[in-house]
Amino acid sequence: ERVSSLFLSPLTGETSEVQLTRGKDRHRDPRWSPDGRTIAFLSDRALPERKEKDGDEDSARTQLWLVAAQGGEPWALTGLDRGIVDFAWRDDATIVIAAREERSLEELKRKEAKDTSQAVEDAEREPPVRLFSVEVKGGKLTRLTENRDWIDSVKVSPDGRWAAALHQRSLSFQFDHRVPPALVLHDLR
């Protein structure tokens, strides 16, 4: 099992570090807010309102968490059903995330029937990974794209107007190299 924590360490040669996260969970991809007051990161720790159960696929999905740069208790910004793939700060008040769409009615029925069968590649049933914006205060989520493919990563321009996203157009590209990914610019205005 992988475990990782975040530490804040000065680059001036001092040896005092501040441990920002603890526990048996994975904490990764820390990114500073533009004003330097907050650090956003991805973590698979269980959300406070959900109790983790062994083998429960919904118990710990990768979510976006925030922590004050001077330390303190991290708090979850998102609580999405499927978790987050990647994120980038747009400005101090907004973060752009790449996340899968919420569960479809068909998926909910399969879960209710305890149908755990999966096709190796079924692009018709694999939910798209789209861009959303999340407000840092309140966590309001707004869909930004309507793509039907799967976004792997996102970067936002310094002025916050554009998002560059890497779109996987085939679920099998890593095996067959037929349909390559595409870099797509999205206007965030």
Side-chain angles (χ1 to χ4, degrees), residues 16-179:
S16 61
E17 290 183 336
V18 176
Q19 187 170 357
L20 298 175
T21 62
R22 290 173 168 65
K24 62 182 175 93
D25 306 299
R26 288 184 64 204
H27 306 95
R28 60 186 174 87
D29 299 333
R31 299 190 183 130
W32 291 93
S33 63
D35 66 6
R37 295 181 184 175
T38 308
I39 300 169
F41 62 96
L42 297 178
S43 179
D44 63 358
R45 63 173 39 186
L47 295 170
E49 61 272 8
R50 291 186 190 173
K51 294 189 178 171
E52 190 171 345
K53 300 174 188 169
D54 289 336
D56 182 1
E57 67 181 43
D58 293 332
S59 63
R61 295 285 183 203
T62 301
Q63 300 296 334
L64 187 62
W65 290 72
L66 301 174
V67 65
Q70 67 270 18
E73 183 65 27
W75 66 94
L77 182 60
T78 62
L80 301 174
D81 229 10
R82 297 182 186 273
I84 295 175
V85 175
D86 195 20
F87 73 96
W89 285 90
R90 181 175 182 186
D91 54 40
D92 292 324
T94 313
I95 299 175
V96 175
I97 64 171
R100 288 176 186 82
E101 280 290 329
E102 295 298 317
R103 295 184 189 279
S104 67
L105 182 58
E106 179 183 343
E107 289 173 298
L108 292 172
K109 286 181 181 178
R110 276 197 324 237
K111 182 178 178 182
E112 189 177 300
K114 298 187 183 197
D115 180 1
T116 59
S117 60
Q118 288 182 321
V120 173
E121 178 185 343
D122 189 354
E124 289 181 10
R125 292 198 167 111
E126 184 65 25
V129 176
R130 295 183 170 144
L131 294 182
F132 298 83
S133 67
V134 182
E135 293 177 9
V136 172
K137 290 187 179 170
K140 180 182 175 194
L141 191 72
T142 305
R143 184 186 309 142
L144 299 173
T145 63
E146 294 290 334
N147 56 295
R148 296 179 180 264
D149 53 13
W150 308 273
I151 296 174
D152 275 347
S153 63
V154 61
K155 303 293 182 221
V156 175
S157 64
D159 64 2
R161 179 175 174 194
W162 298 95
L166 185 63
H167 289 246
Q168 289 295 335
R169 299 179 298 164
S170 167
L171 290 174
S172 62
F173 176 72
Q174 71 184 47
F175 303 107
D176 64 20
H177 295 281
R178 290 187 184 162
V179 182

